[in-house]
């Protein structure tokens, strides 16, 4: 780490038999260590929706007078250490909590003084590790920009730490380490996916066929005003529609959906029907199912 050399002078003098003094201004000189670096970590996305991505920038600057090599950056992706369930026991242990962030594969890019260089990223249970073989000469700066996805169950701010290690150019090849943190704030939102199944693999003319649409909300906000559209086979004729949410099944009137050609729209434009999907809970996603039954010509 650089050292500030501070210096101030004083003079003493006399006039008319009296003594006086004056103090000079202070001068500052910076003594550079041979091997030292500064590390800063920032996020370009301080507020992130569940299941969405945060972009991080780690900057490593060689502010010493010697060459640094074997640069390694370890990001814990927000994983921490917490006490076990036996915290009160005399031999209670600490263990790592699951990381609330997941590194997006192949998202990392490396820049040396603004020029793109080669680097690697390797994930493990402790987070993600970035490495580059390019040395940092005095005054050089290395930027690593990468993306991580926020877990859908995360509701509290996430602080993750980037720890940088480098080897000095000395004969002993000693290691120096610096670190910095960045924090993102989750924004509660709905994140709905849809999965469709048919109750039969084969049918004959005149058979009944039922399609089930499972809507899963992995976000911690309820999804409202769901609109479903589906283009059915021309041989399929709708006979009934219903949906189930929060354990309650509700039949849907034919006035609340439209069929134009072979395409069904639910709810119909102008309908008072509102279909939603509950918010996720710690136990799992919120689920609404829509069931459409018909006959096969």
């Amino acid at each position: 780490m650089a050292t500030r050399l501070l210096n101030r002078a004083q003079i003493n003098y006399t006039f008319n038999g009296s003594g006086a003094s004056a103090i000079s201004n202070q001068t500052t000189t910076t003594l550079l260590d041979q091997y030292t670096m500064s590390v800063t970590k920032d996020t370009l996305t301080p507020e992130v929706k569940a299941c969405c991505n945060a972009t991080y920038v780690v900057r490593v600057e060689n502010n010493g007078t010697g060459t640094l090599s074997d640069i390694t950056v370890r990001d814990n992706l927000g994983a921490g250490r917490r006490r076990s369930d036996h915290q009160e026991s005399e031999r209670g242990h600490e263990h790592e909590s699951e990381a609330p962030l997941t590194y997006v594969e192949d998202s990392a890019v490396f820049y040396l003084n603004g020029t793109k260089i080669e680097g690697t990223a390797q994930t493990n249970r402790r987070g993600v590790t970035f490495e580059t073989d390019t040395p940092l000469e005095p005054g050089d700066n290395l930027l690593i920009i990468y993306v991580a996805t926020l877990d859908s169950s995360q509701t509290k701010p996430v602080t993750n730490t980037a720890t940088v290690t480098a080897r000095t150019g000395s004969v002993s090849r000693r290691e120096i380490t610096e670190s910095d943190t960045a924090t993102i704030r989750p924004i509660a939102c709905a994140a709905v996916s849809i999965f469709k199944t048919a109750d039969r693999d084969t049918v004959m003319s005149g058979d009944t066929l039922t399609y089930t649409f499972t809507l899963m909300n992995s976000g911690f906000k309820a999804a409202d005003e769901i609109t479903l559209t589906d283009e059915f086979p021309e041989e399929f004729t709708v006979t009934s529609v219903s949906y189930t949410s929060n354990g309650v099944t509700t039949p849907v009137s034919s006035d609340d959906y439209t069929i134009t050609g072979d395409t069904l729209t639910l709810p119909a434009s102008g309908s008072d029907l509102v279909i939603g999907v509950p918010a996720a809970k710690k136990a799992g996603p919120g689920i609404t199912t829509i069931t459409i039954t018909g006959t096969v010509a």
Side-chain angles (χ1 to χ4, degrees), residues 196-244:
K196 179 181 179 179
T197 59
D199 69 336
R200 304 178 69 169
D201 292 330
T202 61
V203 291
M204 298 180 62
S205 180
D207 285 347
T208 298
L209 180 62
T210 298
Y211 293 106
T212 300
F213 305 82
T214 302
L215 311 181
M216 293 177 288
N217 183 5
S218 58
F220 283 77
K221 283 287 188 179
D224 300 316
E225 299 182 357
I226 297 292
T227 299
L228 171 70
T229 58
D230 194 0
E231 184 176 354
F232 293 111
E234 62 180 13
E235 296 85 359
F236 181 78
T237 300
V238 175
T239 57
S240 67
V241 178
S242 65
Y243 74 95
T244 301

Side-chain angles (χ1 to χ4, degrees), residues 67-72 110 112 117-120 130-137 142 144 173:
T67 301
L68 300 177
S69 58
D70 299 337
I71 311 299
T72 301
F110 299 71
L112 177 67
I117 61 173
E118 294 298 319
T120 63
F130 306 102
E131 294 180 319
T132 178
D133 293 331
T134 303
L136 289 185
E137 300 298 336
L142 169 70
I144 304 177
R173 298 279 290 162

Side-chain angles (χ1 to χ4, degrees), residues 243-250 275-278 287-289:
Y243 74 95
T244 301
S245 187
N246 292 319
V248 178
T249 299
T250 303
I275 299 176
V277 185
I287 295 178
T288 291
T289 59

Side-chain angles (χ1 to χ4, degrees), residues 48-96:
V48 182
K49 293 181 179 180
C51 299
C52 291
N53 294 335
T55 301
Y56 292 97
V57 180
V58 173
R59 177 187 172 90
V60 183
E61 182 176 357
N62 182 349
N63 51 13
T65 61
T67 301
L68 300 177
S69 58
D70 299 337
I71 311 299
T72 301
V73 180
R74 296 180 175 87
D75 188 329
N76 67 356
L77 297 178
R81 301 188 67 84
R82 60 184 179 86
R83 299 291 290 180
S84 69
D85 293 337
H86 303 289
Q87 180 176 352
E88 297 180 359
S89 69
E90 189 173 343
R91 297 181 60 83
H93 297 288
E94 290 186 346
H95 57 88
E96 291 183 349

Side-chain angles (χ1 to χ4, degrees), residues 92-106:
H93 297 288
E94 290 186 346
H95 57 88
E96 291 183 349
S97 60
E98 292 185 2
L101 292 162
T102 302
Y103 169 69
V104 176
E105 293 295 330
D106 301 322

Side-chain angles (χ1 to χ4, degrees), residues 228-233 238 257-266:
L228 171 70
T229 58
D230 194 0
E231 184 176 354
F232 293 111
V238 175
Y257 64 87
T258 58
I259 299 177
T260 304
D262 297 318
T263 300
L264 177 141
T265 301
L266 171 72

